Amino acid sequence: MAAHFGRLRKGATTTAVAAVAVAALSASQAPGVTTDDLGRQAAGAAQPSGDAKTGGAGGGATGDSPYYTDLPPLKSPNPSPSASPTTGTTVSVGEAEAGIPATVLDAYKKAEAELRASKPGCNLPWQLLAAIGKVESGQARGGRVDASGTTYSPILGPKLDGNGFALIADTDHGAYDGDPAYDRAVGPMQFIPSTWEWAGRDGNGDGKKDPNNVYDAALAAGHYLCRFDRDLSVQSQMNAAILNYNNSTEYLNTVLSWLEYYRKGTHEVPDGTGTLPSHSSNSDPGSSPSPTTPATPSTPSTPRTPSTPKPGGAGSTSPTPKPPTPSSPAPSPTPPTPTQTVDHLEDANTGKLTATAGSAFGNNVAVRAESKASKGVAKVRVRFTIIGDTDATFTGGESVATVVTGSAGTATAPALVAGEKTGDFTVRATVVGRVLGGLDYTATVTPRQADTLTRTSDTALTCVPGGEFADQVELKATYKGAVAGKVAATATLIKSADDATENDKGPYFKDADGKTIRTLTDLTTDADGVLKLPKLYADDATGTFLLRVNTTGGAVLTVELKVAAAAS
């Protein structure tokens, strides 16, 4: 997604390599061409508004607005662990450009997870969203977002008034961009209002679609890139998606450069500390820049005063006192964000985490974000992550959930739902945007159980020697009076009520090859708790025989089988 700022002009790059790359990209666009092979209008030409479903003029989500042209550094982005000189805490240290603010990174990864579920064939990598977010807004101006992911102030592109930019008259009455005359690109992913109107998504579940919210914008960008059944694992289709976001070969190559860089490695940095780009595709003097945080004015330098001759000495001089340098008011310090004041996490009375396979856990993981003074800190994002070999999830099927702390500083994870895998796993709670120790909770999934087994019929089970039983044994399992579905069971033809070893004569089952077997394992009741055993056969022995069925949880039922010669 291209920044909604005029991308009509090339911006200066920071290195010789960047300059060569931009020159090569420029050469790939023949002068005078105003449409591409798909009939889309080329970026940079003043043009009327287009169909909103294609992203407006220029065919892009951003209206082909300006974007940042800074290219990634040549150094490896892979971070290395290092101890903080002030806290001693181990943190990730790597190339500064590779760091992505925690909440912004969380939004990209959450969008990827949602698209993986809703559009698995698209194969959207979160690194592509990160690359576009870098080029469009410098990762939401270095991660200046609140706990819900909304930017502290709107990120707006220049007026698309045809003066060096595409011409897009107002389509939203200023609702998104505050401009009732012309549209502007809006938010971390720089959507123009006409595109956001149909492409906007609610990525953080607050019931709103806000282009200034990084969760909403990242999810909308993902859906926009995945349109037309694209498979982004195919390079040509990825290129088409990026060009559809902002129709510029230079833009395409800049995004692909950052995509490759982030794929090699990146790390999370605290919100508000991300590195801001410095060069824009809109580089002409006097034109509006790409979205950035306004710079603090520098103190003007004082002109040097010429020296005058010193009395009594030929040619000697004495310096004239310099006038005082005008002082600029010291910038007021930026108050710390709630996240920056968090010192640690405390447990908030989380109970025992145990559930039977397939059922919901009775307790939720709850933590409290606290300051050094052990006071609760509100409006802090806490991430809950399920770790381990388990198919347990949070409600909704996700393995990661992010919750904002309330007024008391407490965050409660969504309810846990056990899968079919039994055993232990871990739920880890961490603060998004801070390098702090997390809290780990052990959760246990126990096998499904039954405490009662009954026959579904009272018909006597009889057979003649060498024959087969007319009726199959059918049982129903319950647990505390409720149906016990998917409960494991074992059936054995035993020697006697006091000897549960396998019998060597009398009734028997057959395996797939027709061979005699007298013990069945890996049995499971169905969803209604019913277990129907295979057909039984009799050998030449006569008498009363016993079939014993056991389930997980301790349910036991013994069934009589009678083998007798037919009456004459």
Side-chain angles (χ1 to χ4, degrees):
M1 319 225 146
H4 285 12
F5 305 54
R7 48 149 283 260
L8 313 177
R9 311 172 182 81
K10 299 188 295 292
T13 53
T14 56
T15 66
V17 172
V20 171
V22 172
L25 297 175
S26 301
S28 67
Q29 294 180 320
V33 175
T34 58
T35 61
D36 64 11
D37 58 357
L38 298 178
R40 296 175 299 198
Q41 291 175 308
Q47 46 199 259
S49 299
D51 180 0
K53 289 292 180 180
T54 64
T62 69
D64 294 332
S65 295
Y67 56 90
Y68 288 116
T69 59
D70 300 52
L71 294 176
L74 300 178
K75 294 181 181 179
S76 169
N78 294 314
S80 58
S82 174
S84 166
T86 56
T87 65
T89 304
T90 300
V91 298
S92 292
V93 178
E95 185 66 39
E97 287 284 8
I100 299 178
T103 298
V104 179
L105 180 60
D106 186 56
Y108 296 149
K109 292 185 175 181
K110 188 173 188 293
E112 180 199 57
E114 292 195 25
L115 266 298
R116 190 187 306 122
S118 62
K119 296 184 178 181
C122 179
N123 295 305
L124 171 76
W126 67 260
Q127 292 91 341
L128 176 58
L129 295 176
I132 290 175
K134 179 72 172 182
V135 170
E136 292 298 341
S137 66
Q139 311 297 19
R141 292 189 298 220
R144 294 295 300 165
V145 296
D146 63 18
S148 67
T150 302
T151 57
Y152 286 122
S153 58
I155 301 176
L156 298 175
K159 293 182 180 181
L160 299 177
D161 56 7
N163 183 21
F165 309 106
L167 173 59
I168 306 180
D170 175 65
T171 61
D172 65 332
H173 303 290
Y176 295 120
D177 56 14
D179 191 329
Y182 299 98
D183 273 353
R184 298 180 176 212
V186 183
M189 303 304 276
Q190 288 291 280
F191 279 94
I192 54 174
S194 59
T195 302
W196 183 263
E197 190 61 32
W198 60 267
R201 295 291 193 279
D202 177 14
N204 63 350
D206 63 357
K208 298 184 294 184
K209 300 176 183 179
D210 183 1
N212 288 301
N213 182 279
V214 70
Y215 286 92
D216 295 359
L219 184 59
H223 278 281
Y224 189 93
L225 293 166
C226 288
R227 293 186 307 157
F228 311 127
D229 295 324
R230 290 189 181 108
D231 180 358
L232 300 185
S233 64
V234 178
Q235 190 62 51
S236 61
Q237 295 189 39
M238 177 183 283
N239 293 353
I242 297 170
L243 285 170
N244 194 221
Y245 202 81
N246 189 316
N247 188 17
S248 162
T249 307
E250 294 175 25
Y251 180 83
L252 168 66
N253 283 274
T254 304
V255 169
L256 291 178
S257 295
W258 282 106
L259 169 62
E260 181 63 21
Y261 183 72
Y262 286 138
R263 275 177 165 167
K264 290 179 180 177
T266 185
H267 56 281
E268 181 180 287
V269 299
D271 290 343
T273 65
T275 302
L276 287 174
S278 56
H279 297 87
S280 167
S281 63
N282 177 36
S283 59
D284 285 357
S287 56
S288 301
S290 294
T292 60
T293 302
T296 303
S298 59
T299 303
S301 59
T302 303
R304 187 171 181 178
T305 304
S307 58
T308 57
K310 185 178 181 181
S316 62
T317 61
S318 61
T320 300
K322 295 182 179 180
T325 301
S327 60
S328 299
S332 57
T334 302
T337 64
T339 300
Q340 292 170 332
T341 66
V342 177
D343 179 72
H344 59 276
L345 288 176
E346 286 288 338
D347 176 56
N349 298 319
T350 300
K352 187 176 182 181
L353 299 174
T354 304
T356 302
S359 65
F361 284 73
N363 296 311
N364 294 32
V365 178
V367 299
R368 176 178 152 97
E370 295 186 351
S371 64
K372 285 185 178 180
S374 296
K375 292 184 177 180
V377 183
K379 297 182 179 180
V380 173
R381 297 186 73 82
V382 176
R383 181 184 296 135
F384 298 95
T385 307
I386 295 174
I387 301 171
D389 183 17
T390 180
D391 54 357
T393 64
F394 293 113
T395 302
E398 299 290 338
S399 60
V400 178
T402 305
V403 180
V404 179
T405 58
S407 58
T410 301
T412 302
L416 282 167
V417 179
E420 295 303 319
K421 289 184 178 180
T422 59
D424 294 343
F425 64 92
T426 299
V427 179
R428 178 168 298 162
T430 55
V431 176
V432 176
R434 288 298 305 275
V435 182
L436 296 173
L439 291 181
D440 284 355
Y441 295 85
T442 299
T444 303
V445 179
T446 59
R448 296 172 185 264
Q449 302 178 43
D451 56 15
T452 305
L453 276 174
T454 56
R455 282 190 64 197
T456 59
S457 169
D458 56 4
T459 302
L461 298 168
T462 61
C463 183
V464 296
E468 62 182 52
F469 288 79
D471 297 309
Q472 291 177 247
V473 178
E474 185 177 272
L475 312 172
K476 186 165 186 176
T478 57
Y479 182 70
K480 295 182 179 180
V483 168
K486 298 183 180 180
V487 175
T490 301
T492 305
L493 291 153
I494 60 177
K495 290 184 177 180
S496 68
D498 298 324
D499 186 355
T501 57
E502 182 180 291
N503 208 341
D504 55 1
K505 62 181 179 179
Y508 61 90
F509 300 105
K510 290 182 179 180
D511 64 13
D513 298 325
K515 295 181 180 179
T516 297
I517 55 172
R518 289 189 168 91
T519 298
L520 297 176
T521 58
D522 298 327
L523 300 173
T524 306
T525 62
D526 65 16
D528 296 322
V530 175
L531 175 63
K532 190 172 186 177
L533 299 182
K535 183 171 289 190
L536 278 162
Y537 302 87
D539 59 13
D540 294 335
T542 59
T544 299
F545 301 90
L546 300 179
L547 169 67
R548 180 163 292 172
V549 181
N550 301 270
T551 70
T552 303
V556 179
L557 180 66
T558 302
V559 180
E560 284 191 350
L561 306 172
K562 293 184 178 180
V563 180
S568 58

